[in-house]
Amino acid sequence: MKNIQCLALLSVLFAGPLMAEEGSPANSVTEKRWSPYETAQKPAVPVVSQKAWVRTPIDSFVLAKLESKQLKPAVEVDRVTFIRRATLDAWGLPPTPEEVKAFAADRSSDAYEKLVDRLLASPRFGERQARRWLDLARYADSAGFENDAGRPNNWRYRDYVIAAFNQDKPFDLFIKEQIAGDELWPDSQEAKIATGYLAGYPDNSNSRDMIQRKYQIETDIADNVSETFLATTMACARCHNHKQDKISQKEYFQFQSVFSNTVFDTKKELAKGSESVWDKQYVEQFVKYQAATKHIRDAQRKVLDPYKDASIQYQKSRYITDTLAALQKPEKEQNGLDKWINFRWQSVSGVNGGTGYLKLVAETKEHPEHTPDKVAAWDEYQRLQKELRKFDDLKPASGSSNYTAAAELSATDIPPTFVRFGGIHERPTEAVQPGLPKLWGNATLDIKPTTTSSGRRTALANWLASPENPLTARVYVNRVWAQYFDRGIISTAENFGRAGDKPTHPELLDWLATNFTEQGWSIKKLHRQILLSSVYRQSSAERPEAAKVDPENKLLATYPRKRLEAEVIRDSLLYVAGVLNEEVGGPSVLPPVTAGDQGPVDENGNRLWPVSKTTSDWNRRSIYIYSKRSLPYPMLQNFDPADPSKAHHKRDVTTTPLQALTLFNSPLVVNWSQSLAGRVINEAGTNEKAQLDRLYQVIFSRLPSNQERASLQAFLNKQENIIKTQAKDGGFAVAVPIGVADTSHLNPVRTAAFVDMVQSLVNTNEFVYRF
């Protein structure tokens, strides 16, 4: 009898990744269990006792759980708290005092609806949502690895994502364009740019084993797609059958083979008439540079031409045997893998061969091809290179005239995919065809080749974007829920499998997912439902009685407080200081690392962080800051930004001394505090009480209490005396407000104390947290 019970238990454990509903008996195996791998059916909205609290069906699902634990929801927050919370969540910026005042005074029945609609209609919404999506897409403006070469086209993908959210592009279309835009809409430049999602992998252009590099690229893409769209961490199945979820090693490589025929063209020319103002500026400046340097470049070409063939052969010889064999094959004899390797070689190395050969034979006296004429040629080339560097300031600071897109080299001659023993690329075993793990609803791919494409990615895109897909809609609505409530209904947003957490509200997750598809995959409608719910209006004040029953607040009896993300902290500082440049889109910018600093240099004197020449670019929103994989922007780095080397599903929240030191000691923050102080003085006048009131309205969206006002006055008095004492020797520099219209009535010492107070206040929890 015991053996039968053990077998029954094992059959339950290994039947599939099933998840029990919250509160179901731990020893029950007969009760129907919720599974993310079964097509979602729209559940009935629960009947609750406190019907007056329900504004949307979302509220009923949350309230039903609370009532089952004899808990009541938290009280509703006041309007000031709500507009600050909603604006920070939807825009990544705080509201202005005027926006707060208008909302607080609006007593119309649809005041909340009007506020939410205004937030969703703003371009700031797209910038906020895009940052979250770019975390998943491992977006960066450089390739990573040792060279960390720039990717001058990547900003076009970033701008595509921003526009998609602002246009409320249906999420199913958003998926299809990113996975197979080049196949589905071959005449659409926008759809091709969307495939930059796939091209976001870190890349080592110096890799001498292109077959291994191909394998690593496909591994990155397969792992990213499975985590981002399907919340499946299947990477371990590359080396062995998955230990938790039922995914075999063969199924992993079947999924990876969807991308085996994909290449990335980084030099696709923009369609005529599609050029933006930035593209036109780039071309105009590039033409100037080309004209000014033509004589030098022609002279360099003349030096290198005699060694062109030798240089190409030298370059190819540096690759390992299998890669070299493919590179030396005549085009008519090349199979699919050979074509991929040759395309890759031309993309990362180019057919000109470079200067490697000439440098080697000229500088290596022992080299058998070392000759005086090569030494002289190399010396002349270096002399010309020094002359060319004198024109660096004429080069376009950023941008390009191309875009990056996925493509396929052949519709029929497709590189094979093999199961790799232990995940080792040098040990291929059986060849496999595209397929999906049975775990994902036992679905199949409907692959239909075209004249230009294998159709593999199209088949995957269509399946991912299908309402019958059990995972895609659930995964996305869970991510959006996590944006507002700090954790998803399944808190492991990247893992819905056995190793992930159980859903706290499985019926709510299914209702949101099915309603999302019924509403035409509208992202804005999904956000609107959440923003207008009573759950979202709850207070975040501590509730001991609720914490006793639900210490992790999984049932949402209290609204979860949350520290602002790195970009939101910086953007909010710029915004309240009145210096934020809200231009949307364009090439990435490089603001100073610290005030007045032009950035670090390498051993050759080259700028690793060439600060943007246009000073207004320094105050762009953080989403537009150049994302260099080897050199993250320091100010953001201290506040747990995304790691662009892989899909980043949830921002960490650490508390370190560096964070406080950044806000207290950074010359940038001091400068912004000076601008904020100047703004407040301009808007409030010379009356100090009015200045304090206005300062609190700007940074906290409220007025100070009498006790706070007294503390602020005491701080100003004390700080003024300190500054006077330290300034007696004449060697003490003070920070005074910037941009004050009329300085005739200002006490410079008192206003310096005011700047110090401003900087202290922007370093408080009330400013860097959302309540």
Side-chain angles (χ1 to χ4, degrees):
M1 185 67 178
K2 285 183 178 180
N3 288 338
I4 294 174
Q5 289 175 336
C6 289
L7 288 171
L9 179 60
L10 286 171
S11 68
V12 171
L13 289 175
F14 294 101
L18 306 178
M19 297 183 180
E21 291 187 16
E22 185 82 12
S24 62
N27 60 352
S28 172
V29 297
T30 58
E31 183 179 344
K32 178 175 173 57
R33 294 170 182 257
W34 181 88
S35 169
Y37 306 115
E38 294 178 2
T39 302
Q41 304 297 321
K42 196 169 190 178
V45 177
V47 177
V48 293
S49 299
Q50 302 172 66
K51 294 182 174 60
W53 189 76
V54 175
R55 288 188 172 92
T56 73
I58 290 172
D59 300 325
S60 294
F61 287 100
V62 173
L63 184 57
K65 288 281 187 178
L66 293 175
E67 290 183 342
S68 71
K69 301 292 184 181
Q70 288 75 52
L71 287 174
K72 292 183 178 181
V75 298
E76 184 174 322
V77 293
D78 58 85
R79 289 195 173 202
V80 171
T81 303
F82 180 85
I83 187 174
R84 181 175 176 82
R85 175 190 295 176
T87 309
L88 283 167
D89 276 342
W91 285 359
L93 295 171
T96 65
E98 291 69 32
E99 289 167 342
V100 173
K101 182 179 180 181
F103 177 64
D106 186 354
R107 293 301 159 184
S108 60
S109 60
D110 60 347
Y112 282 84
E113 285 80 359
K114 288 187 293 186
L115 168 64
V116 169
D117 289 342
R118 178 174 63 83
L119 295 176
L120 298 179
S122 169
R124 298 168 180 171
F125 173 77
E127 291 172 321
R128 174 71 168 141
Q129 291 305 308
R131 179 62 269 171
R132 298 177 183 279
W133 187 259
L134 296 176
D135 284 4
L136 300 171
R138 68 264 192 259
Y139 173 84
D141 293 294
S142 68
F145 287 89
E146 184 179 356
N147 288 341
D148 202 17
R151 288 176 165 172
N153 300 331
N154 273 22
W155 62 273
R156 300 189 193 280
Y157 170 71
R158 179 246 290 146
D159 283 3
Y160 159 82
V161 175
I162 293 173
F165 283 111
N166 278 330
Q167 296 163 3
D168 197 18
K169 180 170 289 195
F171 188 65
D172 57 342
L173 178 58
F174 187 57
I175 295 170
K176 291 178 181 180
E177 287 180 341
Q178 292 180 90
I179 300 296
D182 59 305
E183 295 183 359
L184 288 163
W185 298 279
D187 297 326
S188 169
Q189 181 171 284
E190 179 186 12
K192 291 176 184 176
I193 289 173
T195 62
Y197 162 78
L198 299 174
Y201 52 86
D203 194 14
N204 181 11
S205 60
N206 281 338
S207 174
R208 299 305 167 195
D209 185 348
M210 289 197 187
I211 298 176
Q212 181 190 52
R213 188 87 279 272
K214 180 178 187 296
Y215 173 47
Q216 290 168 338
I217 290 171
E218 290 164 10
T219 294
D220 174 278
I221 295 172
D223 293 352
N224 188 278
V225 169
S226 65
E227 286 187 23
T228 298
F229 295 104
L230 303 165
T232 304
T233 53
M234 64 188 299
C236 63
R238 178 164 53 96
C239 303
H240 51 73
N241 292 344
H242 205 294
K243 298 299 184 183
Q244 282 86 27
D245 300 327
K246 294 188 68 176
I247 301 175
S248 69
Q249 192 184 22
K250 180 177 180 179
E251 287 176 320
Y252 175 89
F253 284 101
Q254 287 177 320
F255 183 68
Q256 191 185 93
S257 72
V258 171
F259 309 102
S260 68
N261 200 36
T262 305
V263 295
F264 296 95
D265 187 349
T266 61
K267 297 182 175 67
K268 290 193 73 67
E269 291 188 11
L270 290 169
K272 297 294 183 183
S274 69
E275 300 91 346
S276 67
V277 61
W278 303 289
D279 300 322
K280 293 173 183 176
Q281 290 171 352
Y282 171 85
V283 171
E284 181 181 347
Q285 193 62 38
F286 186 69
V287 168
K288 290 179 182 178
Y289 173 77
Q290 290 287 86
T293 60
K294 184 179 186 302
H295 64 291
I296 302 176
R297 292 180 293 103
D298 287 347
Q300 286 183 315
R301 194 176 302 111
K302 188 175 180 180
V303 170
L304 294 177
D305 275 349
Y307 312 103
K308 182 177 180 180
D309 292 341
S311 293
I312 292 175
Q313 193 55 42
Y314 163 74
Q315 188 190 76
K316 289 184 176 181
S317 69
R318 299 175 66 199
Y319 291 96
I320 69 168
T321 305
D322 290 348
T323 301
L324 180 59
L327 291 174
Q328 291 179 333
K329 276 187 184 180
E331 187 174 350
K332 62 182 180 181
E333 296 178 15
Q334 293 174 9
N335 58 29
L337 179 59
D338 298 330
K339 292 175 182 176
W340 191 99
I341 290 171
N342 278 273
F343 183 90
R344 163 82 179 181
W345 173 71
Q346 293 189 40
S347 297
V348 302
S349 301
V351 296
N352 293 325
T355 59
Y357 167 78
L358 185 57
K359 182 178 188 295
L360 175 70
V361 298
E363 295 181 349
T364 310
K365 293 181 179 180
E366 299 79 14
H367 197 284
E369 297 179 36
H370 176 84
T371 58
D373 65 300
K374 294 187 178 72
V375 174
W378 179 239
D379 288 344
E380 175 63 7
Y381 182 85
Q382 288 181 296
R383 185 191 69 80
L384 290 167
Q385 191 66 16
K386 288 180 181 178
E387 287 297 311
L388 189 62
R389 287 199 185 102
K390 295 177 181 178
F391 294 87
D392 280 355
D393 286 344
L394 266 183
K395 287 181 179 178
S398 60
S400 74
S401 57
N402 307 110
Y403 66 93
T404 296
E408 297 207 348
L409 299 177
S410 169
T412 55
D413 197 359
I414 301 169
T417 298
F418 299 92
V419 176
R420 308 277 173 169
F421 180 83
I424 303 169
H425 93 97
E426 294 95 341
R427 301 185 67 179
T429 58
E430 64 172 311
V432 295
Q433 295 299 313
L436 300 171
K438 292 182 180 178
L439 177 68
W440 296 339
N442 211 22
T444 58
L445 291 176
D446 183 17
I447 300 174
K448 297 176 181 177
T450 67
T451 55
T452 58
S453 165
S454 67
R456 294 182 175 193
R457 283 184 288 115
T458 293
L460 176 62
N462 287 334
W463 175 73
L464 286 172
S466 168
E468 283 71 44
N469 183 308
L471 286 165
T472 304
R474 280 184 176 123
V475 169
Y476 186 68
V477 300
N478 187 65
R479 292 190 188 281
V480 174
W481 188 265
Q483 293 178 25
Y484 290 104
F485 300 102
D486 194 36
R487 73 170 82 196
I489 295 170
I490 296 178
S491 63
T492 49
E494 77 286 2
N495 190 352
F496 277 23
R498 284 187 181 276
D501 289 338
K502 293 182 176 68
T504 56
H505 300 77
E507 298 89 354
L508 173 57
L509 184 60
D510 282 358
W511 188 91
L512 287 168
T514 52
N515 193 66
F516 181 47
T517 59
E518 289 172 0
Q519 295 289 328
W521 300 81
S522 170
I523 294 169
K524 287 191 176 182
K525 288 180 180 178
L526 172 62
H527 283 264
R528 192 176 191 273
Q529 287 174 327
I530 294 173
L531 285 164
L532 291 175
S533 67
S534 291
V535 182
Y536 187 72
R537 292 195 199 182
Q538 291 185 101
S539 168
S540 64
E542 185 178 359
R543 299 180 64 202
E545 74 281 8
K548 184 176 181 179
V549 176
D550 182 24
E552 296 183 58
N553 196 32
K554 291 182 177 181
L555 303 181
L556 293 176
T558 303
Y559 193 78
R561 301 177 180 186
K562 183 180 178 183
R563 197 196 70 194
L564 302 180
E565 295 158 18
E567 296 87 350
V568 180
I569 293 173
R570 177 182 175 274
D571 294 352
S572 295
L573 281 167
L574 287 166
Y575 190 56
V576 298
V579 296
L580 180 66
N581 177 354
E582 294 199 62
E583 183 180 11
V584 177
S588 296
V589 299
L590 294 98
V593 174
T594 59
D597 185 9
Q598 293 303 301
V601 297
D602 63 17
E603 63 275 9
N604 298 317
N606 297 315
R607 291 286 177 193
L608 297 174
W609 188 267
V611 173
S612 297
K613 297 174 184 177
T614 305
T615 55
S616 61
D617 284 343
W618 299 356
N619 293 339
R620 297 284 304 279
R621 286 199 71 165
S622 300
I623 192 172
Y624 301 114
I625 292 180
Y626 192 93
S627 176
K628 190 175 180 67
R629 283 187 160 110
S630 63
L631 187 64
Y633 189 59
M635 181 180 180
L636 298 180
Q637 188 66 15
N638 291 329
F639 291 94
D640 312 303
D643 176 1
S645 64
K646 57 187 177 181
H648 199 105
H649 302 275
K650 180 176 173 56
R651 294 291 183 92
D652 297 325
V653 178
T654 62
T655 303
T656 70
L658 280 176
Q659 293 163 356
L661 290 171
T662 295
L663 295 181
F664 270 124
N665 296 334
S666 168
L668 294 172
V669 179
V670 173
N671 182 266
W672 299 335
S673 298
Q674 290 174 275
S675 294
L676 173 55
R679 172 193 173 181
V680 168
I681 292 171
N682 283 335
E683 294 175 359
T686 57
N687 181 281
E688 200 161 79
K689 178 181 179 299
Q691 291 173 2
L692 297 179
D693 286 353
R694 185 62 178 177
L695 177 61
Y696 259 58
Q697 288 175 322
V698 169
I699 62 176
F700 299 143
S701 303
R702 66 176 180 86
L703 292 170
S705 66
N706 290 334
Q707 182 179 356
E708 287 172 326
R709 198 176 282 113
S711 297
L712 296 174
Q713 293 283 2
F715 175 89
L716 286 172
N717 294 335
K718 182 179 179 180
Q719 193 68 7
E720 183 180 15
N721 290 330
I722 291 172
I723 293 172
K724 284 179 180 178
T725 301
Q726 292 180 328
K728 282 181 180 179
D729 61 3
F732 181 69
V734 296
V736 297
I738 293 175
V740 178
D742 181 7
T743 60
S744 60
H745 301 291
L746 294 183
N747 177 341
V749 177
R750 186 72 172 181
T751 57
F754 188 68
V755 171
D756 291 341
M757 184 189 68
V758 167
Q759 189 178 0
S760 299
L761 289 174
V762 297
N763 196 19
T764 59
N765 277 353
E766 188 168 358
F767 186 74
V768 298
Y769 271 76
R770 186 268 280 133
F771 296 91

